[in-house]
Amino acid sequence: TGLFIAGASLFLARAILTLVPNVLGQAEVDVGRQSRLEDLLQQRRDTLTNAVELRRQQYLNGDCGFEEVLTTQQHLYEAELEAATTREGRVAALKKHLKVAETGVAIAEQRFKSGHVTSVDVLLAKAASMSIEIRLLREGGLAEPKDN
């Protein structure tokens, strides 16, 4: 039995020595993966921020439709939500995008009144704003619903 215990102890010691570097190595891989993920999330957000600004200018110049602006803004909105790591971060992103959406409604209404766009642009802008408000309410970021 002494020989068996010594053999088992040696086996266990080898197993531990083999596993410890693998576990530590995996931790390094996870940290590297997490760092790369965070970098990509931020780069995507920055890229989409630039794309949104370009789309807005195109829209104001009459070079694209409101749907294209909304689609680009939606991509940015989702990227910022995905990059947020806390509820507070998500709420802050939603509040920011709600303000942007409300501004979009005002711009669409103004451009409709001046004859540059159709009422569909106004309706799409309002629906986008409502979608963000709904998500903000679900996230618990608004004390009470806004009246329209």
Side-chain angles (χ1 to χ4, degrees):
T1 46
L3 186 56
F4 175 75
I5 292 173
S9 296
L10 182 59
F11 175 77
L12 185 58
R14 283 186 183 158
I16 290 172
L17 290 174
T18 302
L19 290 176
V20 168
N22 288 339
V23 170
L24 294 177
Q26 183 61 41
E28 289 174 10
V29 168
D30 289 344
V31 169
R33 185 178 299 139
Q34 185 62 32
S35 176
R36 178 67 178 145
L37 175 62
E38 290 170 8
D39 287 346
L40 284 171
L41 288 167
Q42 296 308 316
Q43 288 174 22
R44 181 177 65 169
R45 187 204 62 216
D46 294 345
T47 300
L48 287 167
T49 298
N50 291 334
V52 165
E53 187 52 40
L54 290 171
R55 277 287 187 228
R56 281 188 194 136
Q57 287 305 313
Q58 289 176 336
Y59 175 69
L60 293 174
N61 293 335
D63 296 331
C64 75
F66 196 70
E67 274 188 83
E68 292 170 285
V69 175
L70 284 177
T71 299
T72 309
Q73 284 178 331
Q74 180 69 24
H75 289 303
L76 175 59
Y77 157 72
E78 291 299 331
E80 287 189 345
L81 286 178
E82 191 173 349
T85 58
T86 64
R87 179 190 164 279
E88 291 78 18
R90 288 187 303 278
V91 167
L94 287 164
K95 285 182 177 181
K96 173 184 159 188
H97 282 280
L98 182 57
K99 286 181 185 178
V100 169
E102 290 169 343
T103 300
V105 171
I107 290 170
E109 287 174 338
Q110 186 178 49
R111 289 180 56 82
F112 172 67
K113 287 177 185 173
S114 68
H116 289 94
V117 299
T118 68
S119 61
V120 172
D121 287 352
V122 176
L123 294 172
L124 289 172
K126 286 181 178 182
S129 181
M130 286 181 234
S131 294
I132 295 168
E133 186 176 350
I134 289 166
R135 190 135 181 210
L136 190 52
L137 284 165
R138 286 184 174 155
E139 195 69 46
L142 286 178
E144 50 188 71
K146 295 180 172 197
D147 291 327
N148 289 329

